[in-house]
Amino acid sequence: PELRKETTMAAPQRDQAVYDSEGGQIIRLNGCSFRPNYPDNILNLGNDYSDSEVIPLELVREPENPYDEQAIKVLHKGEHLGYIPKALNTPIQEAMDRGVTYYARVNEVVLSKKSPLTPGLIIYIRPNGAPPSEQAALANALEKAVGGGSDV
């Protein structure tokens, strides 16, 4: 399926975020190419989803990271895809440490015309849950991920 999520927001540059009016951020991940299954893990993200479905992600603190004790890794179905850039992770990490939960989803897989087999990943995150416009799609994706027995 097409992974580009319709948005009126511009794509972020490396180590920058683009913010929306609902408190969400669009962020380009770092470190994707260092993951063991790269680039297939990024290129195949949409295989289990239809074009209208949200592809949910999970943000996980990684305080034992030797390069950044504030590191936040991004997972899809338990697979590590990359990191929130170090330049952006402090306020997110501080919020997570206070118990704030984040909604996260794939926003866009970025393919370069020069290097189509080295994709990047842009994600959308928002503290305290999905925006109202995405709650139904998220519930459907989560139900599918857990085998249809979820009461989200």
Side-chain angles (χ1 to χ4, degrees):
E2 176 65 37
L3 291 179
R4 184 176 177 90
K5 182 81 174 167
E6 288 301 318
T7 180
T8 58
M9 298 164 57
Q13 299 299 311
R14 192 169 299 284
D15 295 333
Q16 295 181 346
V18 177
Y19 297 84
D20 72 9
S21 62
E22 296 181 309
Q25 301 175 53
I26 293 182
I27 298 171
R28 184 182 302 260
L29 294 188
N30 284 349
C32 295
S33 63
F34 296 103
R35 308 292 16 116
N37 295 324
Y38 181 84
D40 292 339
N41 62 342
I42 303 294
L43 293 172
N44 295 329
L45 272 172
N47 288 353
D48 296 333
Y49 301 89
S50 71
D51 287 343
S52 63
E53 289 181 297
V54 170
I55 300 174
L57 302 171
E58 181 182 8
L59 303 183
V60 177
R61 288 274 292 111
E62 192 180 62
E64 69 283 357
N65 184 303
Y67 303 103
D68 179 11
E69 64 185 27
Q70 296 177 325
I72 302 168
K73 60 185 175 180
V74 177
L75 307 176
H76 176 257
K77 295 183 178 180
E79 182 176 6
H80 185 180
L81 300 176
Y83 288 96
I84 300 292
K86 186 175 183 176
L88 302 174
N89 69 9
T90 299
I92 301 166
Q93 169 265 313
E94 290 172 350
M96 290 175 76
D97 288 352
R98 288 191 314 271
V100 174
T101 58
Y102 275 82
Y103 162 72
R105 66 161 166 80
V106 170
N107 191 71
E108 180 178 357
V109 171
V110 181
L111 299 174
S112 163
K113 289 180 182 176
K114 289 183 179 180
S115 303
L117 295 179
T118 58
L121 186 60
I122 296 176
I123 68 168
Y124 174 84
I125 67 169
R126 182 174 182 264
N128 301 313
S133 61
E134 296 185 19
Q135 288 177 358
L138 176 64
N140 289 339
L142 292 174
E143 182 175 329
K144 182 176 182 177
V146 297
S150 176
D151 208 19
V152 178

